[in-house]
Amino acid sequence: MYRIVDKRELADKITLFVLDAPLVAANARPGQFVILRVDEQGERIPLTIASTEGGKVTIVVQEVGKTTAHLRSKEIGDALADVAGPLGTPAHIEKLGTVVCVAGGVGTAIIYPEAKAFKEAGNKVITLMGARNKSLLFFTDELAQVSDRIIYATDDGSFGHHGFVTDLLQQLIDEGTTIDLVVAIGPIPMMRATCELTKKYGIKTVVSLNPVMVDGTGMCGACRVTVGGETKFCCTDGPEFDGHLVDFDELAARNCQYVDKERLSYSMYEEKRGCGGRCHG
Amino acid sequence: MRRTVSRIRKRIDMPSQDPAERRRNFQEVALGYSPEEAVEEASRCIHCPKQPCVAGCPVEIDIPSFLKLIAEEKFGEAAAKIKEKNSLPAICGRVCPQENQCEGVCTLGKRGEPIAIGALERFAADWERLNAAEQKLPEAGKQEGKVAVVGSGPAGLTVAAELARMGYEVTVFEALHVPGGVLSYGIPEFRLPKDIVRHEIEYVQSLGVKLLTNVVVGRTITVDQLFDEGYDAIFIGAGAGLPHFLNIPGENLNGVFSANEFLTRVNLMKAYEFPEYDTPVKLGKKVIVVGAGNTAMDAARNALRLGSEVTIVYRRSRQEMPARLAEIHHAEEEGIEFRLLTNPIRIIGEDGWVKAMECIRMELGEPDQSGRRRPVPVPGSEFVLECDSVIIAVGQSPNPILTKNLPGLEMTKWGTVVVDPETMQTSIPGIFAGGDIISGGTTVIEAMGDGKKAARGISAYLQQKARV
Ligand SMILES: Cc1cc2nc3c(=O)[nH]c(=O)nc-3n(C[C@H](O)[C@H](O)[C@H](O)COP(=O)(O)OP(=O)(O)OC[C@H]3O[C@@H](n4cnc5c(N)ncnc54)[C@H](O)[C@@H]3O)c2cc1C
Ligand SMILES: Cc1cc2nc3c(=O)[nH]c(=O)nc-3n(C[C@H](O)[C@H](O)[C@H](O)COP(=O)(O)OP(=O)(O)OC[C@H]3O[C@@H](n4cnc5c(N)ncnc54)[C@H](O)[C@@H]3O)c2cc1C
Ligand code: SF4
Ligand code: SF4
Ligand code: FES
């Protein structure tokens, strides 16, 4: 049993949970994730470890379907059926000079522990943070604290630059900033666009991929991605890879594999939840 | 009663579900003996003096004695007799390749049909479970020593049960949320009901074994940390879970799975009960399974039960198929088509999804190192098979997650762990291994046999350690 010891709404449909999972917390490093199941009928889903403290693991979850919705419905004191981890190869953190962290959407939560680690390793950290609109921005204070500079962008212009994070990156490059590494984490189109840009300038870029996973231990191959023409298992070889070598088209296509079933599952859940509210509320 | 004219009576066939019926459900295919049938079959044993059957069983079950107890209708005592040596009898009785083990060497087999030892083992274990008549085994005194077991497949469970019965403190660490290894995620419900696996694992726990799921040793906790926490010896039974692919174009298209992924979704995550259970699986109308081992048969028969037409594609001929004969028969009876001497060369896609598979015909050439005749492609014989899903079941090797972080651990070039065949100790003192991680993949009972030897090896190691 893995008890929820804290819960906070961070933004629209984005929730932070602190879980009691001492074994996971003990060895977790930036870039790693857990696989959890909400209950006995539940699916195994991967979520990044945003931070750890004294036997507690913090995760940030964005509701996109049945399992994430079900998870968000859980309250402090409730327990989750399973939390396994830390999984994945930890991020490679070293002193490089200037590291630009490009975060999009819920990728903000995933990039946070890395930005912090890069900062602690003595790098200058510039964070470019993007979201569809202002209500989806979160962790701004946390990231600002570990960044030497932080710039925002929203698709609709409701906060910061009106446009994409890639515009901000282009500006940095145009200003003549020397960039030793870009870490880009967020939706696939954002990571792809970032990589296309940095490739032109020959700036090394690391991305964190999010294929569908089952076991998360290298046992099933559901998470396979093509990197530099080779098949890799994201859960053990990744989740971080050299962004210039990633086949994003394949990743995007593979992530749609279950769309119809996922929709069915989500709408059934919403219906149940909706009715529950009406009948008892 | 079916007595025949020959001196040796004929074996009593175990009833099974009709193929036309079972191909659309997930219930168990083989139905098991009635008590009358079991008594009759067990009483066929002539208690030959040499008892070769016992040596044919890797965990050394006293077969003649338990057969005698069944013949005397002492079913509970028969189960207890089996459990002196085997903590997972209902499982072994179902999945052991008995024809190559105990039954393969039974004296009666020379002039007639061997005793159905597996079916009787299953009967005794099922009878005990259903009649809640578990007999307590004598308890050993407590021994000094704490052992960590990595992996809860048949190898790990056996080491744990044996050591617990000797009086050691044992904890099993399992990466997945359910213990059992291949018994839980690989072998389908219709061959090995998961309730039975659960029951036998609970039995192992009742012997005093502690079991922790969701612990990936090497990530959640390292081997060094286990030693630091006071474990005196470690057994690695992490299996051979890393699936192989064919490395042909189109293998990452949507609709292509490893058998492990497909079987895990269906067996472990219960995708056949979606949306009751959250994990989906998606198969098209026409499914091709590549390979002809037990894993391929299981994948094919699972796919059939989900409502697809299934074809098995295999590059060698019928004689070389590695699956058990009974499983091949079952698959054929249920209506699975076999395309032998056929090798996939490319998976063809449309809009990111599988649409067809290009294959080439093969013929058998000279024997290779394995002694099997090597299949060679027939030039110009390429052809296309339509399909919407492909399941790759061409073998697996040990998962390196744990072993790659153990400097000094001797490995073979196939990624298996090297052990002393007597003690099962690896090149690192205090670390033992057994099961698929040392063999690359064999059988449940071989893995259990390894576990048994390792338990003795570990006990000897701990005794010696206590002395110095
Ligand atoms: C290494 C890794 C780290 C991640 N970290 C986070 C995180 O910190 N916060 C966060 O909100 N999300 C994270 N995700 C994504 C998260 O796992 C998915 O959003 C979640 O699984 C969706 O489940 P669902 O049932 O709610 O939605 P579904 O309706 O099942 O799926 C919606 C979409 O999510 C993806 N998805 C579905 N099932 C899985 C699965 N089993 N594994 C992975 N992706 C799946 C698919 O693209 C799918 O189209 C991470 C994914 C990976 C691979
Ligand atoms: C589909 C299929 C069908 C089969 N059918 C038969 C059959 O009918 N009869 C037969 O005799 N044999 C059969 N086999 C073979 C048999 O199942 C295996 O030989 C046997 O299960 C091996 O046992 P094991 O204990 O070595 O490993 P496994 O059963 O593979 O168990 C290993 C366990 O270790 C866990 N693990 C791995 N790494 C770690 C880690 N780092 N930390 C913690 N836990 C870890 C895994 O999650 C797994 O649960 C079949 C195999 C497959 C795949
Ligand atoms: S465990 Fe397997 S080999 Fe041993 S007696 Fe039973 S069926 Fe035969
Ligand atoms: S070999 Fe066959 S006949 Fe002889 S004791 Fe064993 S089971 Fe009985
Ligand atoms: S999720 Fe199964 S191998 Fe990566």
Side-chain angles (χ1 to χ4, degrees):
Chain A
M1 279 301 172
Y2 301 83
R3 210 154 284 286
I4 297 170
V5 294
D6 200 5
K7 175 183 180 181
R8 245 187 311 142
E9 297 298 330
L10 293 182
D12 188 22
K13 296 207 163 180
I14 297 179
T15 308
L16 173 148
F17 286 99
V18 181
L19 309 175
D20 187 25
L23 278 178
V24 179
N27 280 336
R29 305 210 337 246
Q32 290 188 298
F33 58 94
V34 294
I35 290 234
L36 62 77
R37 268 191 342 147
V38 177
D39 65 12
E40 283 305 318
Q41 275 79 45
E43 187 172 14
R44 293 171 65 95
I45 66 158
L47 294 167
T48 304
I49 300 168
S51 65
T52 58
E53 204 188 326
K56 310 281 188 285
V57 170
T58 299
I59 54 171
V60 173
V61 57
Q62 177 174 40
E63 178 173 328
V64 295
K66 154 89 195 263
T67 307
T68 44
H70 192 194
L71 176 58
R72 283 189 63 236
S73 76
K74 295 290 161 190
E75 300 297 341
I76 295 175
D78 290 347
L80 304 179
D82 302 288
V83 179
L87 299 168
T89 304
H92 187 73
I93 307 288
E94 60 180 327
K95 183 164 183 208
L96 294 163
T98 301
V99 177
V100 176
C101 294
V102 186
V106 77
T108 305
I110 307 177
I111 222 164
Y112 169 67
E114 293 187 37
K116 187 163 168 246
F118 274 114
K119 179 73 195 159
E120 283 164 3
N123 293 286
K124 177 172 179 200
V125 173
I126 305 176
T127 298
L128 312 178
M129 198 168 166
R132 281 205 314 281
N133 60 58
K134 190 181 172 200
S135 74
L136 291 167
L137 284 171
F138 65 96
F139 264 19
T140 46
D141 291 348
E142 284 86 343
L143 268 166
Q145 249 174 40
V146 299
S147 309
D148 293 271
R149 191 175 161 199
I150 183 162
I151 319 171
Y152 305 94
T154 50
D155 297 3
D156 66 355
S158 51
F159 191 76
H161 169 75
H162 184 164
F164 298 128
V165 275
T166 39
D167 305 340
L168 303 178
L169 183 59
Q170 181 74 58
Q171 272 173 31
L172 281 185
I173 294 167
D174 293 344
E175 284 167 15
T177 318
T178 36
I179 301 173
D180 299 288
L181 178 73
V182 170
V183 182
I185 305 180
I188 293 171
M190 178 225 113
M191 293 194 285
R192 186 206 316 252
T194 306
C195 290
E196 276 163 9
L197 177 62
T198 55
K199 203 169 182 171
K200 273 201 302 208
Y201 296 93
I203 304 169
K204 188 167 180 228
T205 304
V206 167
V207 292
S208 180
L209 304 184
N210 58 348
V212 172
M213 294 187 176
V214 182
D215 60 300
T217 67
M219 184 268 271
C220 78
C223 62
R224 55 200 195 280
V225 290
T226 300
V227 181
E230 267 182 66
T231 295
K232 299 276 182 194
F233 286 6
C234 185
C235 69
T236 48
D237 298 322
E240 299 204 334
F241 295 100
D242 180 341
H244 295 158
L245 301 178
V246 170
D247 183 341
F248 286 107
D249 289 336
E250 182 185 276
L251 176 64
R254 284 184 65 77
N255 268 358
C256 296
Q257 209 164 162
Y258 290 101
V259 163
D260 51 345
K261 302 231 172 192
E262 286 159 359
R263 282 208 189 113
L264 172 70
S265 189
Y266 195 18
S267 61
M268 281 175 63
Y269 178 77
E270 295 233 280
E271 218 165 89
K272 230 168 84 191
R273 181 164 64 172
C275 161
R278 268 197 304 280
C279 302
H280 306 289
Chain B
M1 260 182 238
R2 279 176 287 161
R3 300 261 162 101
T4 56
V5 279
S6 75
R7 273 202 308 123
I8 300 177
R9 281 183 278 148
K10 263 181 84 75
R11 174 190 270 217
I12 308 284
D13 286 329
M14 182 166 25
S16 62
Q17 258 199 83
D18 184 66
E21 192 68 35
R22 73 186 192 227
R23 64 197 292 271
R24 289 291 179 252
N25 70 48
F26 283 85
Q27 276 128 45
E28 202 174 1
V29 170
L31 299 172
Y33 283 144
S34 66
E36 296 73 34
E37 287 167 329
V39 168
E40 191 180 348
E41 177 62 18
S43 61
R44 288 206 307 128
C45 169
I46 56 170
H47 295 273
C48 59
K50 288 215 184 104
Q51 313 185 344
C53 53
V54 178
C57 171
V59 294
E60 307 148 7
I61 294 178
D62 183 351
I63 295 166
S65 299
F66 98 74
L67 292 179
K68 183 156 176 287
L69 289 164
I70 292 182
E72 293 167 357
E73 296 184 42
K74 295 177 182 155
F75 304 139
E77 286 170 53
K81 178 55 72 188
I82 297 169
K83 279 171 154 177
E84 283 174 11
K85 301 285 183 175
N86 182 350
S87 303
L88 311 173
I91 294 169
C92 290
R94 285 172 168 80
V95 303
C96 257
Q98 297 97 0
E99 65 274 20
N100 307 326
Q101 304 285 348
C102 51
E103 295 178 18
V105 293
C106 168
T107 305
L108 286 186
K110 295 204 182 89
R111 289 172 298 137
E113 289 174 292
I115 301 279
I117 301 169
L120 288 166
E121 182 178 4
R122 163 188 169 145
F123 168 79
D126 286 358
W127 188 91
E128 186 191 47
R129 185 178 67 255
L130 297 172
N131 293 282
E134 211 157 272
Q135 309 218 346
K136 269 259 171 257
L137 293 172
E139 287 197 16
K142 220 181 124 41
Q143 298 279 339
E144 275 306 303
K146 228 173 110 179
V147 182
V149 172
V150 183
S152 63
L157 290 173
T158 304
V159 180
E162 294 289 313
L163 288 169
R165 287 188 50 205
M166 291 178 201
Y168 294 103
E169 197 184 326
V170 190
T171 306
V172 178
F173 298 94
E174 168 56 48
L176 295 173
H177 60 276
V178 176
V182 174
L183 305 174
S184 291
Y185 78 72
I187 304 182
E189 178 76 16
F190 57 82
R191 278 214 294 131
L192 182 61
K194 300 309 149 210
D195 280 346
I196 289 171
V197 177
R198 210 170 305 130
H199 180 86
E200 299 214 317
I201 291 173
E202 280 165 11
Y203 169 70
V204 170
Q205 288 174 285
S206 79
L207 298 171
V209 170
K210 230 170 102 186
L211 198 125
L212 288 178
T213 51
N214 296 322
V215 179
V216 187
V217 177
R219 293 245 199 259
T220 310
I221 187 161
T222 64
V223 165
D224 286 343
Q225 287 170 333
L226 285 173
F227 280 126
D228 290 345
E229 284 197 3
Y231 287 96
D232 302 292
I234 294 174
F235 175 81
I236 306 178
L242 184 78
H244 292 176
F245 285 90
L246 295 161
N247 296 319
I248 59 174
E251 228 171 354
N252 292 347
L253 285 164
N254 284 350
V256 183
F257 312 89
S258 74
N260 272 5
E261 179 187 350
F262 174 65
L263 290 169
T264 301
R265 283 181 180 275
V266 178
N267 302 328
L268 184 74
M269 306 309 297
K270 299 222 184 299
Y272 63 91
E273 295 193 33
F274 179 87
E276 195 78 20
Y277 281 73
D278 289 342
T279 306
V281 68
K282 192 141 105 190
L283 285 185
K285 258 225 229 7
K286 283 196 160 90
V287 176
I288 292 181
V289 176
V290 183
N294 285 323
T295 308
M297 298 304 141
D298 282 346
R301 295 173 69 200
N302 250 337
L304 187 87
R305 281 161 175 76
L306 290 167
S308 303
E309 286 168 38
V310 185
T311 305
I312 284 186
V313 164
Y314 180 52
R315 66 198 178 112
R316 299 181 197 249
S317 73
R318 184 166 288 268
Q319 279 87 310
E320 289 84 17
M321 298 195 352
R324 284 179 67 188
L325 214 57
E327 298 308 326
I328 299 171
H329 283 319
H330 276 140
E332 277 178 330
E333 275 176 6
E334 290 168 6
I336 286 163
E337 197 192 327
F338 286 74
R339 287 268 190 164
L340 306 177
L341 290 168
T342 300
N343 203 24
I345 48 181
R346 179 164 72 99
I347 301 171
I348 302 163
E350 194 177 80
D351 304 327
W353 286 85
V354 174
K355 188 172 159 283
M357 179 190 264
E358 186 175 346
C359 298
I360 189 162
R361 274 189 237 297
M362 309 292 277
E363 56 189 15
L364 292 180
E366 294 299 306
D368 60 14
Q369 297 102 313
S370 72
R372 298 187 299 179
R373 291 174 63 193
R374 186 196 302 274
V376 285
V378 178
S381 68
E382 293 86 350
F383 65 102
V384 170
L385 287 175
E386 303 270 313
C387 61
D388 356 63
S389 310
V390 175
I391 301 172
I392 314 276
V394 295
Q396 50 235 359
S397 52
N399 186 332
I401 242 184
L402 174 61
T403 50
K404 82 174 176 218
N405 293 315
L406 276 178
L409 185 72
E410 196 190 332
M411 312 264 292
T412 67
K413 66 174 178 201
W414 299 281
T416 53
V417 174
V418 177
V419 294
D420 174 326
E422 291 305 315
T423 63
M424 309 307 276
Q425 186 161 231
T426 66
S427 55
I428 305 177
I431 301 186
F432 298 74
D436 280 2
I437 198 164
I438 67 163
S439 63
T442 49
T443 60
V444 170
I445 195 65
E446 294 286 347
M448 293 178 65
D450 286 355
K452 197 139 207 161
K453 274 199 268 176
R456 282 186 208 129
I458 291 170
S459 175
Y461 171 83
L462 295 175
Q463 299 288 336
Q464 199 193 7
K465 205 174 155 192
R467 254 178 270 131
V468 294

